[in-house]
Amino acid sequence: MDDQQRTLAGPWGIIILLGVELIIYVLFLALLLVPGGEILAAEALLLVAAVFYFRRNPALGARIQQLFAAHARIAWIGAVVLVLLIPFFIASSPYWLFTIIIAGLFLTACLGLNLQLGSSGMVNLASAAFYAVGAYAAGLLALGWGWPAWITLPAGAVMAGLFSALLFVPVLKTKGHYLALVTIAFQFMVTILLDNMEWTGGPQGLKNIPLFSVAGYSFNTAINLGFIKLPAYANFFYLMVLVVAVVGVASQRIYSSWVGVTLSTIRDDEIAAQTFGVQVNRWKLVIFSLGNCFIGLAGAFYSHLVGFISPPNFAFDKSLVMVSIVILGGMDNVFGVIVGSLLLIILPEKLRVVQDYRFLIYGLVLIIMLIFRPRGLVPFKARDFLDLAGPVRRKRAASASSTVSEGGA
Amino acid sequence: MTFLDILLQQSINGLMLGIMYSLVAVGFTLYFGVLDVINFAHGDFFMLGGFMALMLYAIAEAVGFAGNALVVVIYLFIGSMILTGVVGVVTERVCVKPVSKAPMLISLLVTLGLGIAIREAVRVLYPRGSDPKGFPTLMPQGSFNVGNIVIRYENLIIFGLGIAVIMAVNFLINRTKMGAAIRAVAQDGEAAMMMGVDLDRTIDITFLIGSAVAAVAGIMNGFYYGQTMFNIGAMMGVIGFSAAVIGGLGNIYGAIVGGILFGLLETFAAAALPYGAENKRVFAFLIVILFLVFRPTGILGEKIFERV
Amino acid sequence: MRNRFSLLWKRSHKGLVLTLCLLLVLGLVAAQCAPGAGKKETVKISFIGPLTGGNAGPGLGGRNSFLLAVKERNEDPDTKYNYEVVQIDDECKPDVGVQAALKASSDPDVVAGASHYCSMVAISTADTFHNQGMPSMVWGAVLPDITYGNDYVEITRVNGTQINQNEVHAKMMYDMGYRTVSILHDTTDYGRGHLKYFSESWEALGGQILSVQGVNVDQQDYTAELTKIKAENPDFIYFGGLTPSGIPIRKQMVKLGIEAQFNGTSGIKNESFNEALGPDAEGVICFLEGAPIDELPGGKAFLEKYEAEGYEEPPEAYGPFAYVAGHLIIDAIEKVGPDRAKVAEELEKNTKDRDTIIGKVSFDDHGQNIVPLITAYVSQDGKWVSWNKSEYAGGQRQLVPPK
């Protein structure tokens, strides 16, 4: 056992780890860059084969996990470098770059939704409505008062947070199916009103919203590096990565702090939580608003990315996509949300090859995945409550022996 | 037309719309009572029922069986109820039951996926499925006037039939042995099983009834509006669910009350409020939210205490 | 070290890793192998429209017509290039449309394309096509701003706008003695656009608008709105919207016993309107840009060829426009070669007085077809017949007269 762990800690471990990351990366890029549906079929088969393989050899999976835990920092650096290199590899296809940015926006929104849905068990099927609030707030502020994008972005988030107050009473008084219905009804009200109100531009929405620019540098300019020319979307891509990083780190911090534990207790048993002195109502409202802030942030970003927003962008089907991402990825799990948003945004685009049958297949895939993995592709693990002591315990453990600490990413 | 005429005519409009909603709401109430599942695909079963009838009608025309309108109507209703019912049971076995024990959101999402699949399957498989489809005119088309108000025989038949179907479902649930089994499962599945109720069979029957009622609603909707389209189910599902909740989830008569209330709300909002036509659903959904917050058990629902 | 490493590298795992690498190589090789081209150089052109969802009917009709145009040209030995169509679904949703436009324009082999049936989508992708420098010819969307809201050389439009249609509509009804109208429109920008341009034209003539009611596209019951209209007793009802709402509105109007003329816009001019309504469609009027298709020699040939191809869906109202767009795009590529900038220039500047199956086509400096030919149609015996040839114009049949 000791031998093994030392192997994992050594340079071979690092090489294997980077190899694993690289393979996933290449498969991902191949999925985007190889035209046609064969690659999708091939990779889907590969994925199924891999799942079965790991199920039959759980030791291998466990060891890879240990590997990542042992070299958490290197794993992160590797992953970040690879992500930052994406625009270079798909420079020839602004379309895929744009699609990845959209996936990133959904990821941002779904991290917020995950706080509500996954962490504290509040059903929210109106996420597209709050996405709309963020987008329209940013658009109206930019068009009406000429606010620059770096202010409207947080303003959109704050606005979505404030609008949450409209649902405060229902959130506290209803739950489960009833809360689901309240949020569905709210979602429909918002979309219909957006269509009918004059000051939001009615069905034509808002046009010519200024795209991002910082200190005179317009994000709509292609990056010419001499040896390679990156499409203009590369600017947005890096900004998106930054936003996702901030929101992702915030989510992870919340999850592993005592706030996260509080939320878990509310989700698992509200009455018990209350009897133990958890301020259920207060935390519900805080998290509901915070989640909507993240969603609004993504909406504001969308405004300044495309420059045009209109009501159909924020219809009920978008809420469903967001909920599907959280559930399919795995609730209460940041990594799961990442997997979910990549899958559910990129899969329909890849399915364009089957044309008419696209949504039929999408629906069937959704059902099949949920039946076989009802807890999501990356199911959340029971909390290791001892880990809550966090840094102290970890440091103690590290100094006591050179064994691998758990936790990490 | 005088004010009173308009009021009465609009009430009739609202009642007719309401009975359509009620028929969809019954299914939601049934599924929720028995399986604790909100079947979001129910609206699409409603649509499927209409298309099954269209298909059966095309077959009947092709083989030259188109005599007495009454016979054809009965054939359409029974045929479509059986076909839609079978599809309902099959989908329940394949995809609803496996997740009925999972968290509520999972079953919700599975049924939503199922709804997409049904909708798209109809669109792709039915000839020119993306176009609106006209429904054959088989109901008597005459009408009589009471003052300035037009009352159509068709409306009377559809309204009467709608109430009759809901009462029949109520009879099945509350007066038969099979219904007793369903109610037992609704209260406590495991206890019912210990008392000798065949759980799987009961769930099958529930879905058979639910889908068949959806089919009836779909056909009546087709006859009343003279057309159907592959995408009418989604909105109908949301409204049907709302109506079931307003009336009181789990109470069959609640579905009637909720459906008709929702229909009247929409109609009078469209008729009476400024900019009412375009915003009537905003108004109706606002009422739904208020109901859920201040009387979550609905009009006819019973007070539920949370078990600790 | 080697020994320990082998813990992870058992023989059985070797198989997995090797398969993985093999598949990877295969995928990359497959990517490199372009489909075997014939003698001619292959040029890609795109078609974007709603191929799924509620507007798939007209979308598929347009696609088939476009494919037909391309097929004709590929079979013609005189064409310099071999054309390949990239067809992309926009679902009639703006955000999906932007992705579709990016997908088409990201492929450097795609030289130009015909795009969009839905106005909302067309207006949101104008910037995208402009930024990517790809010429896009709108084949069905009618909102004026799509061409007039910008100065992009890339955007052209072969069909007319809502303005032309409603001017003719208002004038025709006014001249026949109709004075009062109740307006229904759907709340999309298609319906609201029609409301705006019709009201302007109608009030300019001195006509009276009794009421305006917006309806949702996913609604089936219009009895509340129609009962209100019944009490107003208008000369005619104007509906700005699409077939899925047009059918139930007309049906319920008949059932409620409203005695008034019913007029629609280009959105209801398709076969399903007549098929679904049967006898109830009789006497309904609608308007469409372009010459009546079956009265021009080229148009007849188009309908026959379309029939012969055995497409499942009918061409619908805007199929001929997509067909013409296909021909115009290919003409331009044949003339200036497969170069996006040149093709855009050629399309916008040099499309003048072209004879097509929809009549003459001439683009103004916004790339908008300005031949203001609008045809009125009336539903007669389950078919859309152009007004001038109908028995209604001839006096054998009567519309519902003004009060």
Side-chain angles (χ1 to χ4, degrees), chain A residues 5-36:
Chain A
Q5 274 161 358
R6 222 168 289 148
T7 313
L8 293 172
W12 275 112
I14 296 177
I15 291 176
I16 296 169
L17 177 143
L18 291 179
V20 170
E21 284 193 348
L22 207 60
I23 289 174
I24 296 174
Y25 189 64
V26 170
L27 285 174
F28 174 68
L29 287 183
L31 186 64
L32 304 187
L33 291 179
V34 180

Side-chain angles (χ1 to χ4, degrees), chain A residues 2-306:
Chain A
D2 210 29
D3 262 9
Q4 256 185 48
Q5 274 161 358
R6 222 168 289 148
T7 313
L8 293 172
W12 275 112
I14 296 177
I15 291 176
I16 296 169
L17 177 143
L18 291 179
V20 170
E21 284 193 348
L22 207 60
I23 289 174
I24 296 174
Y25 189 64
V26 170
L27 285 174
F28 174 68
L29 287 183
L31 186 64
L32 304 187
L33 291 179
V34 180
E38 293 84 359
I39 184 77
L40 180 66
E43 291 201 4
L45 275 177
L46 202 63
L47 189 72
V48 172
V51 166
F52 274 101
Y53 189 81
F54 279 111
R55 202 170 269 182
R56 286 187 57 189
N57 301 280
L60 182 68
R63 220 162 290 158
I64 290 180
Q65 262 179 359
Q66 277 176 15
L67 198 60
F68 273 82
H71 301 288
R73 186 165 299 171
I74 292 174
W76 271 111
I77 293 172
V80 168
V81 168
L82 289 178
V83 166
L84 291 180
L85 283 176
I86 285 178
F88 290 84
F89 289 111
I90 56 174
S92 61
S93 174
Y95 158 62
W96 280 115
L97 201 50
F98 180 80
T99 307
I100 292 175
I101 298 170
I102 295 291
L105 294 188
F106 272 86
L107 171 56
T108 310
C110 289
L111 285 171
L113 187 60
N114 184 40
L115 284 178
Q116 307 168 340
L117 221 62
S119 305
S120 36
M122 285 181 286
V123 188
N124 180 3
L125 283 166
S127 42
F130 291 103
Y131 193 53
V133 171
Y136 272 89
L140 288 170
L141 288 173
L143 286 173
W145 293 339
W147 286 20
W150 56 273
I151 305 182
T152 56
L153 210 59
V158 170
M159 217 47 185
L162 292 178
F163 261 74
S164 314
L166 289 177
L167 286 181
F168 274 177
V169 177
V171 161
L172 293 183
K173 293 200 90 173
T174 61
K175 61 174 101 163
H177 293 112
Y178 296 96
L179 184 53
L181 184 55
V182 168
T183 51
I184 291 174
F186 182 75
Q187 168 71 52
F188 275 102
M189 285 169 66
V190 168
T191 354
I192 297 173
L193 281 174
L194 282 179
D195 241 340
N196 294 339
M197 288 185 305
E198 295 255 327
W199 59 279
T200 58
Q204 282 205 31
L206 303 177
K207 279 193 283 280
N208 303 322
I209 301 166
L211 301 185
F212 271 110
S213 61
V214 172
Y217 173 73
S218 165
F219 274 43
N220 202 23
T221 37
I223 310 174
N224 200 342
L225 292 174
F227 64 98
I228 192 170
K229 202 174 162 206
L230 298 180
Y233 284 118
N235 295 308
F236 292 100
F237 176 84
Y238 290 117
L239 185 65
M240 180 276 284
V241 171
L242 183 71
V243 168
V244 166
V246 170
V247 172
V249 168
S251 300
Q252 190 61 41
R253 279 290 163 90
I254 292 173
Y255 175 79
S256 40
S257 71
W258 56 272
V259 179
V261 183
T262 307
L263 298 178
S264 292
T265 57
I266 294 176
R267 177 192 62 209
D268 294 338
D269 195 332
E270 209 172 285
I271 293 170
Q274 205 147 23
T275 44
F276 279 96
V278 173
Q279 288 185 303
V280 172
N281 286 358
R282 190 177 79 186
W283 281 112
K284 271 186 161 182
L285 297 187
V286 167
I287 286 303
F288 186 70
S289 311
L290 185 65
N292 288 336
C293 278
F294 289 179
I295 299 173
L297 181 65
F301 195 118
Y302 182 83
S303 270
H304 291 290
L305 168 70
V306 180

Side-chain angles (χ1 to χ4, degrees), chain C residues 86-277:
Chain C
V86 180
Q87 32 174 309
I88 311 171
D89 182 15
D90 65 22
E91 298 171 39
C92 206
K93 291 178 189 159
D95 51 340
V96 184
V98 171
Q99 259 160 305
L102 268 174
K103 185 173 168 63
S105 55
S106 287
D107 183 347
D109 295 339
V110 175
V111 177
S115 322
H116 312 308
Y117 170 74
C118 302
S119 295
M120 188 61 90
V121 183
I123 201 150
S124 63
T125 62
D127 289 330
T128 311
F129 282 118
H130 174 64
N131 287 340
Q132 299 282 329
M134 178 182 146
S136 152
M137 188 179 286
V138 176
W139 60 271
V142 289
L143 193 76
D145 279 0
I146 296 165
T147 41
Y148 290 123
N150 59 57
D151 284 321
Y152 302 154
V153 69
E154 291 85 3
I155 309 295
T156 53
R157 172 158 49 188
V158 67
N159 58 300
T161 69
Q162 291 172 327
I163 303 176
N164 319 116
Q165 202 187 108
N166 284 299
E167 277 171 3
V168 176
H169 191 156
K171 184 153 190 326
M172 175 171 153
M173 294 314 284
Y174 195 83
D175 288 348
M176 286 197 293
Y178 293 84
R179 289 294 176 270
T180 56
V181 63
S182 297
I183 298 180
L184 284 172
H185 66 90
D186 71 32
T187 54
T188 68
D189 81 318
Y190 177 84
R192 281 188 200 271
H194 273 299
L195 163 70
K196 176 171 172 233
Y197 295 111
F198 181 78
S199 323
E200 282 172 7
S201 303
W202 184 247
E203 283 176 336
L205 289 170
Q208 196 191 348
I209 297 171
L210 299 177
S211 70
V212 173
Q213 298 184 82
V215 294
N216 302 317
V217 276
D218 49 11
Q219 131 182 22
Q220 283 195 80
D221 191 297
Y222 299 89
T223 48
E225 291 84 355
L226 287 168
T227 301
K228 229 172 136 178
I229 289 178
K230 187 178 182 183
E232 291 161 5
N233 196 18
D235 287 347
F236 76 107
I237 298 177
Y238 175 96
F239 170 60
L242 304 176
T243 309
S245 317
I247 294 171
I249 288 179
R250 172 64 181 169
K251 189 97 188 169
Q252 287 162 37
M253 185 186 149
V254 173
K255 287 192 175 180
L256 283 170
I258 300 175
E259 280 169 25
Q261 172 62 25
F262 181 73
N263 287 8
T265 56
S266 51
I268 63 163
K269 203 244 159 213
N270 49 37
E271 297 313 314
S272 15
F273 186 83
N274 285 320
E275 279 168 24
L277 279 169

Side-chain angles (χ1 to χ4, degrees), chain B residues 1 6 9-10 13 16-17 46 120 123 126-135 137 141 148 150 152 154 221 223-232 235-236 266-267 270-271 273 277-278 280-281, chain C residues 51-58 60 185 187 192 213-216 218-225 227-228 230-231 243-245 247-248 251-252 254-257 271-272 275-277 312-314 316:
Chain B
M1 291 170 92
I6 297 177
Q9 185 78 55
Q10 294 289 27
N13 297 338
M16 291 306 297
L17 180 61
F46 160 86
E120 287 295 315
R123 190 184 71 75
Y126 199 86
R128 283 177 56 202
S130 11
D131 293 336
K133 298 282 166 203
F135 236 74
T137 311
Q141 288 300 304
N148 277 322
V150 186
R152 301 175 59 80
E154 185 184 50
N221 190 76
F223 280 133
Y224 183 56
Y225 295 123
Q227 76 149 3
T228 186
M229 197 166 163
F230 75 97
N231 62 1
I232 59 169
M235 196 59 182
M236 210 58 183
E266 269 197 3
T267 306
L273 298 180
E278 55 194 64
K280 62 185 172 195
R281 293 235 165 105
Chain C
L51 306 179
T52 56
N55 289 300
L60 293 168
H185 66 90
T187 54
R192 281 188 200 271
Q213 298 184 82
V215 294
N216 302 317
D218 49 11
Q219 131 182 22
Q220 283 195 80
D221 191 297
Y222 299 89
T223 48
E225 291 84 355
T227 301
K228 229 172 136 178
K230 187 178 182 183
T243 309
S245 317
I247 294 171
K251 189 97 188 169
Q252 287 162 37
V254 173
K255 287 192 175 180
L256 283 170
E271 297 313 314
S272 15
E275 279 168 24
L277 279 169
E312 200 190 322
E313 307 87 5
E316 301 292 12

Side-chain angles (χ1 to χ4, degrees), chain C residues 293-370:
Chain C
I293 178 80
D294 45 358
E295 288 171 24
L296 288 178
K300 271 213 180 80
F302 164 74
L303 291 178
E304 278 158 17
K305 272 183 251 167
Y306 193 96
E307 189 86 9
E309 285 293 315
Y311 294 118
E312 200 190 322
E313 307 87 5
E316 301 292 12
Y318 285 94
F321 293 96
Y323 175 84
V324 171
H327 276 298
L328 289 175
I329 290 170
I330 292 178
D331 284 343
I333 297 175
E334 290 286 312
K335 193 168 160 201
V336 299
D339 176 299
R340 283 182 179 180
K342 285 185 196 155
V343 171
E345 189 85 9
E346 167 69 19
L347 279 174
E348 179 159 309
K349 301 279 148 60
N350 291 333
T351 307
K352 300 278 180 235
D353 279 333
R354 302 281 277 278
D355 277 310
T356 70
I357 62 164
I358 50 165
K360 289 242 189 277
V361 171
S362 255
F363 287 169
D364 65 7
D365 53 355
H366 282 275
Q368 172 63 49
N369 180 13
I370 42 164

